[in-house]
Amino acid sequence: MRGLMIWVRLMVLAVAAACWGATVLAEERLALVIGNSAYGSVSPLDNPVRDARLIAQTLEGLGFDVTLAADTRQIEMKRAIGQFGRKLRGAGEDATGLFYYAGHGVQSFGSNYLLPVDVALADAADLDLMAVEAQSVLRQMASARNRTNIVILDACRNNPFEAVADLNESGLAEMKAPTGTFLAYATAPGDVALDGAGENSPFTEALAREIVVPGAPVEQVFKQVRRAVLEQSGGGQTPWDTSSLVSDFVFAEAAPEAVMSAAEVQEAQIWRSVKASRDAMQIMLYLRGYGDGKHADEARGLLSELMAEELQGSAPVAAAPAAASAPVVADAETAMFEAAQGDGSKAAFEAYLMAYPEGQFAEIATVELAAMRAGASQDPEAGGAAVAAVPKAEPAPVPLPEAGPVTYASPLHSEMPQIAGLTLAEAVTRSPAFPPIEGLPESYWKGQACSSCHQWTRERLCTQGNTYLSLNMQRSLGKQHPFGGALKQALKSWAAGGCQ
């Protein structure tokens, strides 16, 4: 089964290689990949050669010119490293170099050594004569003075020389990375990595999977590898890395995207927030602002779906939590909203909504933005076309009589028949006088309570009413509303009296 998984992965990589091969890389990519399994004098390992082959095939699919060496003796390892250094030096300063090693590795007196398959050691003093110092690889790569080098060592599986004096330390020591180098280890310094019970080590298996993710920076790739290995090992193995990179690097280039204007980017950001909310009111407000936008059809479809669920009673429209269970608003949110009110611009309210898409003032900010857009689209001096269909204007709001303060339970005095004689508590349960969105089928709004979209509670109404007391919100009192401006005026007067 595991062999089948590896075969499927390689087939996917072959297809990916054909796609990525069409993209001409700006820099040359060179890699030396070594895997040593068949040791003679020390314990052999099952997976390093298979690991090396998997990484070599994966890197080839990503545009690397790969040299693969398996079960190498010391002379072969040193020759391959020397040739790799010469090739990298000839590739130019924009080249990327990558060295991968899987096999036995040990440390002695703070230096790391990679073990060839013919290593035979009885005295620690002979280690540099019998093995390959890892630092020699870094020296070869640094001598090329190229922009980016990556060194990956899956070489801490166990210490085959525990019986040799001065060689009883586990794992590898952390090395200093020359400028422009990313160093990755299969496990933390001084720890032992797993060879793996399957066909590949946990580290290499995760690495081969993550480096093909399009657009993922090298730092993100190894962070994901670390998470995967920690999970698979139950916290027993922690991959480690250190970096002195000065340039950005990705293994797999992201697919090119169509260039969007600033307005399109802004609309896309707002739509993502609205869509995630699954809030009918937010979708209606989005459509008022972007009725002809790129996502308008999707918005209408989602709105129809939510309205159908509401009418059928199969599922409630998703909404913000009730005020009683809402968390206390942080000072930063209140300050940002007050700053948006003080500025009075679309940009200020949009900035607030980006920061707090589900904040306490989000509905108010969204309504204000919709009012601004509607006003701008109808202003002949603004020179812009209408961004959304807006129903015909209501008459100017009728001022409330001064006979007494508006309370939550007192009848409202208004020429609007929809709310005349009702209390605020009753008014918010009534149906709208016209569709909240031009062209919305009557079955979706006629006879439906406004509270189906608005999550109106006494606390939320009080918050909205207090907003209308601000000088910056006065112009919104006469803006289009299913009950005209009369209900807004009532909320304002109620808030002025302390929401009694």
Side-chain angles (χ1 to χ4, degrees):
M1 180 65 181
R2 194 172 182 85
L4 177 61
M5 292 175 63
I6 296 296
W7 181 84
V8 170
R9 180 192 301 145
L10 293 179
M11 290 298 294
V12 170
L13 290 173
V15 175
C19 297
W20 284 316
T23 302
V24 179
L25 298 173
E27 79 284 353
E28 190 170 357
R29 294 178 162 196
L30 305 174
L32 173 60
V33 177
I34 298 176
N36 289 336
S37 292
Y39 289 93
S41 300
V42 299
S43 57
L45 295 169
D46 292 332
N47 288 333
V49 170
R50 288 195 291 261
D51 290 339
R53 287 172 178 159
L54 174 60
I55 292 299
Q57 290 167 329
T58 306
L59 291 175
E60 286 176 348
L62 295 171
F64 280 82
D65 178 0
V66 180
T67 299
L68 173 63
D71 286 332
T72 53
R73 296 174 298 168
Q74 185 196 44
I75 186 64
E76 294 167 339
M77 282 184 69
K78 289 187 173 182
R79 183 183 298 119
I81 292 169
Q83 291 174 345
F84 177 58
R86 287 191 293 274
K87 196 171 181 180
L88 192 57
R89 286 190 289 273
E93 61 181 15
D94 290 332
T96 295
L98 186 147
F99 176 79
Y100 170 91
Y101 173 79
H104 277 306
V106 298
Q107 64 167 301
S108 177
F109 300 102
S111 296
N112 294 322
Y113 294 87
L114 311 179
L115 303 187
V117 294
D118 61 346
V119 66
L121 191 69
D123 195 304
D126 296 335
L127 184 60
D128 60 344
L129 302 176
M130 306 296 297
V132 176
E133 187 180 8
Q135 198 67 36
S136 66
V137 178
L138 294 178
R139 284 194 292 269
Q140 286 287 335
M141 299 177 82
S143 70
R145 302 184 185 279
N146 56 311
R147 183 173 58 185
T148 303
N149 286 313
I150 301 169
V151 175
I152 305 169
L153 302 177
D154 193 355
C156 330
R157 308 190 183 203
N158 58 50
N159 180 6
F161 302 125
E162 289 182 344
V164 177
D166 299 324
L167 277 179
N168 54 7
E169 294 183 86
S170 297
L172 298 182
E174 186 170 7
M175 298 184 291
K176 291 184 178 180
T179 301
T181 303
F182 188 94
L183 279 171
Y185 307 83
T187 193
D191 285 348
V192 175
L194 302 174
D195 188 45
E199 295 186 359
N200 298 102
S201 78
F203 174 79
T204 292
E205 185 175 22
L207 178 62
R209 181 174 63 249
E210 295 300 331
I211 61 176
V212 298
V213 176
V218 61
E219 297 86 356
Q220 182 66 25
V221 165
F222 282 93
K223 184 183 295 183
Q224 292 297 111
V225 169
R226 183 156 47 249
R227 289 172 177 164
V229 174
L230 277 167
E231 181 178 355
Q232 185 170 348
S233 66
Q237 179 178 336
T238 305
W240 202 261
D241 56 67
T242 182
S243 174
S244 63
L245 290 180
V246 293
S247 301
D248 296 331
F249 178 80
V250 295
F251 287 96
E253 296 293 335
E257 297 181 359
V259 178
M260 294 192 298
S261 67
E264 289 172 331
V265 170
Q266 183 182 69
E267 179 191 351
Q269 291 172 331
I270 293 173
W271 171 239
R272 280 197 297 269
S273 175
V274 170
K275 182 179 180 181
S277 75
R278 290 185 63 83
D279 187 317
M281 182 58 188
Q282 290 191 39
I283 297 171
M284 290 178 183
L285 291 169
Y286 168 82
L287 286 170
R288 285 188 180 180
Y290 297 99
D292 297 323
K294 181 178 179 181
H295 306 283
D297 289 341
E298 184 181 1
R300 292 188 182 95
L302 180 56
L303 180 61
S304 297
E305 176 187 331
L306 294 173
M307 290 294 189
E309 290 176 356
E310 180 68 18
L311 290 171
Q312 295 169 4
S314 59
V317 177
S325 61
V328 177
V329 178
D331 289 342
E333 180 187 349
T334 303
M336 189 171 186
F337 181 71
E338 290 177 349
Q341 286 182 300
D343 183 89
S345 67
K346 287 197 299 183
F349 283 104
E350 285 165 352
Y352 165 79
L353 286 171
M354 289 297 176
Y356 301 98
E358 297 181 2
Q360 180 173 345
F361 310 104
E363 184 173 324
I364 300 169
T366 308
V367 169
E368 181 65 10
L369 272 175
M372 290 181 187
R373 293 190 182 108
S377 67
Q378 294 175 350
D379 184 357
E381 296 182 359
V387 296
V390 179
K392 59 183 181 180
E394 292 278 342
V398 179
L400 293 169
E402 302 294 335
V406 175
T407 68
Y408 196 61
S410 63
L412 299 177
H413 301 279
S414 172
E415 293 185 2
M416 289 290 296
Q418 289 83 1
I419 63 171
L422 301 177
T423 66
L424 282 174
E426 294 169 334
V428 297
T429 66
R430 293 301 194 264
S431 301
F434 54 80
I437 299 175
E438 183 79 6
L440 192 67
E442 286 190 355
S443 60
Y444 289 155
W445 65 271
K446 199 164 187 177
Q448 302 300 313
C450 292
S451 56
S452 296
C453 298
H454 295 279
Q455 297 306 306
W456 271 332
T457 64
R458 182 167 180 163
E459 291 81 3
R460 288 180 181 271
L461 286 170
C462 185
T463 299
Q464 186 167 339
N466 275 292
T467 303
Y468 294 141
L469 294 173
S470 166
L471 291 176
N472 293 308
M473 294 292 284
Q474 295 304 302
R475 64 183 180 277
S476 71
L477 291 175
K479 293 294 182 184
Q480 188 72 6
H481 187 276
F483 296 143
L487 183 61
K488 296 181 181 180
Q489 291 281 3
L491 288 173
K492 175 186 175 184
S493 298
W494 177 51
C499 295
Q500 299 300 312

